[in-house]
Amino acid sequence: MQLELNNISLTYAISTPYETKALSDVSFSAKKGEFIAVMGQTGSGKSTLLKIIAGLEKPSSGTVFFNGEDINAYSYNKAKLRSYVGMVFQNPEYQLFESSVYKDVAFGLKHAEYTKDEKHRRVKNALETVGFEFDKIKDLSPLALSGGEKRRVAIAGVLAAEPELILFDEPVAGLDPVGRNDFVNTVKKLNKAGITIIMVSHNADAIAECAERILIFDNTKLIKDAPAAKVFADSKTLKNIGLEVNGAKYLADLLKKRGMCIDDKLYRYEEIVKAVAEKIKNAGVGK
Amino acid sequence: MNRMPLGMYMPFESVIHSIDARVKLVCFLALIVSVIITDTLVGYIVILSTAFVFIVLSRIPFKIALSCLYRLRFFLIIIFVMNALFFTSENILVSWWIFNISKEGILQGVHVVLRVVLVMLFSTCLTATTSPVELTKALESLFRPLRYVKIPVGQICMIISIAIQFIPVISQEALLIKQAQTARGARFESRRLIEKAKESLALVIPIFLSAIRRADELALAMEARGYRSANTPEKRSLKLSLREYAGFVVSAAVCALQIMI
């Protein structure tokens, strides 16, 4: 898996009164196994970026190379790209339509030339990855499930193609805390298995828990591309573009203002808890 | 949305934009009537130049006004050919099997094509300069008298305006669902008809579901905000200025001219 974007720009409805710029001059690259989070305010071009990587939108200018091939070249086989790059849209539960969960998850495999056994293995594997018991769920109607379950079925539908790169657009929006934790654990597991993840999210907590690298978009431009620790260490820059740090880091910043010195590099929930506990222990409890 | 949909509203500032929508609708009807009753060369020249003047005044780029005709090119060609080939007349120029090409047939074809083109130009002129909301309000106000015969004008117009306002929302969502299904391996661009029909289920079902869900939510939201079905549409006073009078006079003149010649 090797992804490379060079000077991507996209303008919708060129030369009509509805002309709008969605992305301007964005370049970055991603390697196998990376976990990249994309942050930015609504309308900063994040979702468009994902669609361009998935080959669903054509950039007005610039090139996208996937495994060394230009995906917008005339001779490039887009159907092949779909099996390498999976995309989970915002509210993916709305795309379910088949009469059973099994059929819905297998939908994307219909055109691929797999044997029946292979298809079965993939569907089973995908459903188990998102935390279902295969035999219990496979014959249910996807439309009768709860919102969170529908979303997991939709994600399984993307996993069944066994992509090398998965793009998530706001995967935790509208989920309860338990659902969010489940999701975070699932993507972490996928990432550990070697799948590259690019995830757009407004949820700083989810990002802090799993992302290693963060891209920040502001007003159609890529303004920062840095390791997660570096981005969260600098909460002022985040605030300036209308974004927030995660809850744990926010707490650390508050404690720092009150005089408890916590290393700026720490930002994950567990790290902060550990650091605070240590400080308290060193200071002597009940002083 | 890389192509402008037909008849889309274009928010410019022009004389035509600022004319009251009700006046525009009435003028539009008068002009359509003139198009239908025209059948002389002079008549067509007059009405074509009227359309031309309106488009210039409304500041719609010519490229956009003509692009709607360009998109209908096959339809126009087909109606021309149908008229030219199947018109029964005595002065047949060429005849072969069931096809008869005659001078009258060709003329008839030209007439029909010209009429469709003119109607298209005028309706583009109307819908591009009037926002859908304005248009339904105008309809509501023009149909007000119908409430005396117990027709719920207010409700009908509410339904129409909600429907119109949801077109962009639902088409946006349809595009998203299409992209989502494509991303997971659907092939909508397949050439084979049966395959295409089967694949389109993956679009149709989610779109219907989401439309129904939206309708449900909207109904609840409207009730929560205290909507009571209003039987009488609101009354809006009509202030006529020079622009409106000019519009009336021009369209009435064109219409009268067509009746006379």
Side-chain angles (χ1 to χ4, degrees):
Chain A
M1 205 311 294
Q2 169 70 36
L3 175 73
E4 198 183 320
L5 277 75
N6 303 312
N7 311 92
I8 296 289
S9 298
L10 178 65
T11 311
Y12 285 113
I14 290 178
S15 72
T16 71
Y18 293 96
E19 182 173 314
T20 37
K21 204 150 203 181
L23 279 177
S24 20
D25 202 21
V26 172
S27 306
F28 75 93
S29 60
K31 290 193 294 284
K32 181 176 158 63
E34 273 196 288
F35 198 128
I36 303 174
V38 183
M39 296 175 89
Q41 285 196 314
T42 312
S44 57
K46 300 165 290 167
S47 300
T48 312
L49 176 80
L50 293 192
K51 285 186 200 163
I52 287 178
I53 298 173
L56 296 167
E57 298 259 18
K58 235 183 180 170
S60 314
S61 66
T63 49
V64 183
F65 283 93
F66 185 79
N67 288 344
E69 287 178 273
D70 182 350
I71 65 166
N72 289 309
Y74 182 72
S75 57
Y76 189 79
N77 180 2
K78 280 257 165 94
K80 207 174 67 188
L81 181 72
R82 311 254 184 264
S83 63
Y84 293 141
V85 182
M87 175 156 179
V88 178
F89 277 68
Q90 196 165 355
N91 300 112
E93 56 273 25
Y94 296 161
Q95 75 197 40
L96 304 176
F97 71 101
E98 284 281 14
S99 54
S100 76
V101 167
Y102 186 94
K103 277 191 200 161
D104 213 297
V105 174
F107 172 72
L109 303 175
K110 209 165 54 180
H111 297 291
E113 287 160 6
Y114 298 124
T115 60
K116 215 176 164 194
D117 288 347
E118 172 68 5
K119 271 187 194 176
H120 185 81
R121 184 192 67 77
R122 282 172 175 242
V123 173
K124 186 164 182 247
N125 205 358
L127 280 169
E128 279 168 357
T129 308
V130 295
F132 285 117
E133 275 180 58
F134 179 69
D135 290 316
K136 276 191 187 161
I137 193 89
K138 70 178 178 7
D139 296 319
L140 299 181
S141 161
L143 303 176
L145 303 174
S146 78
E149 287 170 330
K150 276 187 197 168
R151 189 171 295 195
R152 276 150 64 201
V153 170
I155 293 175
V158 172
L159 295 182
E162 300 190 349
E164 297 176 10
L165 165 68
I166 306 183
L167 313 165
F168 288 97
D169 192 358
E170 295 291 354
V172 293
L175 288 184
D176 57 20
V178 176
R180 204 197 67 211
N181 273 343
D182 286 348
F183 172 79
V184 166
N185 291 332
T186 307
V187 269
K188 272 183 173 170
K189 207 161 61 186
L190 291 170
N191 186 232
K192 257 196 199 123
I195 299 174
T196 314
I197 309 271
I198 299 180
M199 175 172 105
V200 163
S201 182
H202 276 121
N203 191 309
D205 287 323
I207 289 178
E209 287 312 309
C210 44
E212 291 150 6
R213 178 176 159 198
I214 294 181
L215 308 181
I216 297 181
F217 279 76
D218 189 32
N219 195 16
T220 77
K221 289 188 190 75
L222 174 61
I223 57 163
K224 194 162 190 151
D225 176 358
K230 221 170 169 183
V231 170
F232 283 116
D234 183 11
S235 35
K236 255 192 203 148
T237 316
L238 277 178
K239 246 183 212 142
N240 282 344
I241 47 171
L243 299 172
E244 272 178 0
V245 290
N246 59 324
K249 176 70 184 168
Y250 181 71
L251 178 71
D253 284 347
L254 280 183
L255 288 173
K256 203 173 169 190
K257 260 187 210 159
R258 297 287 169 97
M260 185 187 271
C261 200
I262 294 172
D263 192 348
D264 264 343
K265 275 183 216 127
L266 304 181
Y267 65 97
R268 283 194 172 146
Y269 175 74
E270 273 159 31
E271 294 170 350
I272 302 272
V273 168
K274 215 168 126 193
V276 172
E278 224 154 75
K279 291 273 171 193
I280 292 175
K281 210 161 113 195
N282 290 347
V285 186
K287 186 171 66 174
Chain B
M1 205 185 68
N2 284 320
R3 263 167 44 143
M4 293 273 294
L6 281 178
M8 192 165 171
Y9 175 57
M10 277 172 274
F12 296 126
E13 280 193 17
S14 78
V15 195
I16 308 270
H17 279 78
S18 59
I19 292 181
D20 189 288
R22 285 165 285 185
V23 175
K24 258 190 274 187
L25 253 181
V26 172
C27 294
F28 173 71
L29 283 180
L31 289 167
I32 295 301
V33 169
S34 341
V35 170
I36 292 167
I37 56 181
T38 306
D39 57 357
T40 59
L41 183 63
V42 186
Y44 278 122
I45 291 175
V46 169
I47 207 152
L48 259 174
S49 30
T50 319
F52 179 77
V53 170
F54 277 178
I55 291 173
V56 170
L57 280 179
S58 67
R59 295 211 189 150
I60 308 169
F62 267 99
K63 221 174 110 191
I64 292 179
L66 294 180
S67 80
C68 66
L69 296 180
Y70 179 71
R71 267 187 242 168
L72 282 180
R73 62 194 182 280
F74 293 116
F75 174 69
L76 293 175
I77 291 170
I78 287 170
I79 53 173
F80 175 75
V81 170
M82 292 299 257
N83 273 290
L85 288 186
F86 296 112
F87 192 80
T88 32
S89 139
E90 279 136 31
N91 317 321
I92 290 166
L93 302 176
V94 189
S95 180
W96 177 71
W97 193 30
I98 53 167
F99 305 117
N100 302 302
I101 298 178
S102 64
K103 204 178 153 202
E104 284 88 346
I106 292 176
L107 265 178
Q108 175 73 14
V110 173
H111 271 302
V112 176
V113 168
L114 261 176
R115 278 181 192 158
V116 174
V117 166
L118 280 165
V119 169
M120 282 297 300
L121 286 180
F122 281 123
S123 30
T124 307
C125 210
L126 175 74
T127 53
T129 61
T130 324
S131 76
V133 179
E134 276 297 304
L135 213 53
T136 34
K137 275 192 183 160
L139 279 175
E140 184 175 329
S141 154
L142 288 175
F143 284 133
R144 266 188 105 228
L146 284 183
R147 74 202 142 102
Y148 294 117
V149 284
K150 293 255 163 78
I151 292 178
V153 181
Q155 273 143 307
I156 293 175
C157 287
M158 181 61 125
I159 293 170
I160 297 175
S161 77
I162 289 175
I164 291 177
Q165 285 173 53
F166 268 93
I167 291 173
V169 176
I170 291 181
S171 68
Q172 191 66 37
E173 199 160 271
L175 179 69
L176 267 182
I177 289 174
K178 187 175 178 186
Q179 286 178 331
Q181 305 292 32
T182 313
R184 65 175 181 143
R187 294 191 187 162
F188 297 111
E189 61 282 347
S190 166
R191 290 275 167 93
R192 271 178 296 175
L193 203 62
I194 295 176
E195 205 168 284
K196 212 172 179 173
K198 264 190 199 161
E199 213 76 348
S200 68
L201 268 188
L203 270 185
V204 175
I205 296 176
I207 292 169
F208 263 92
L209 283 174
S210 99
I212 293 168
R213 196 184 53 243
R214 267 180 202 289
D216 245 2
E217 282 168 8
L218 183 72
L220 274 179
M222 281 168 75
E223 257 171 45
R225 288 165 63 186
Y227 173 80
R228 297 269 177 282
S229 59
N231 270 318
T232 42
E234 71 178 296
K235 197 172 172 181
R236 295 194 305 155
S237 61
L238 183 58
K239 281 206 188 86
L240 294 181
S241 65
L242 194 62
R243 284 193 293 270
E244 276 84 19
Y245 284 120
F248 271 139
V249 170
V250 170
S251 10
V254 171
C255 195
L257 203 69
Q258 303 305 338
I259 293 171
M260 284 192 296
I261 45 179

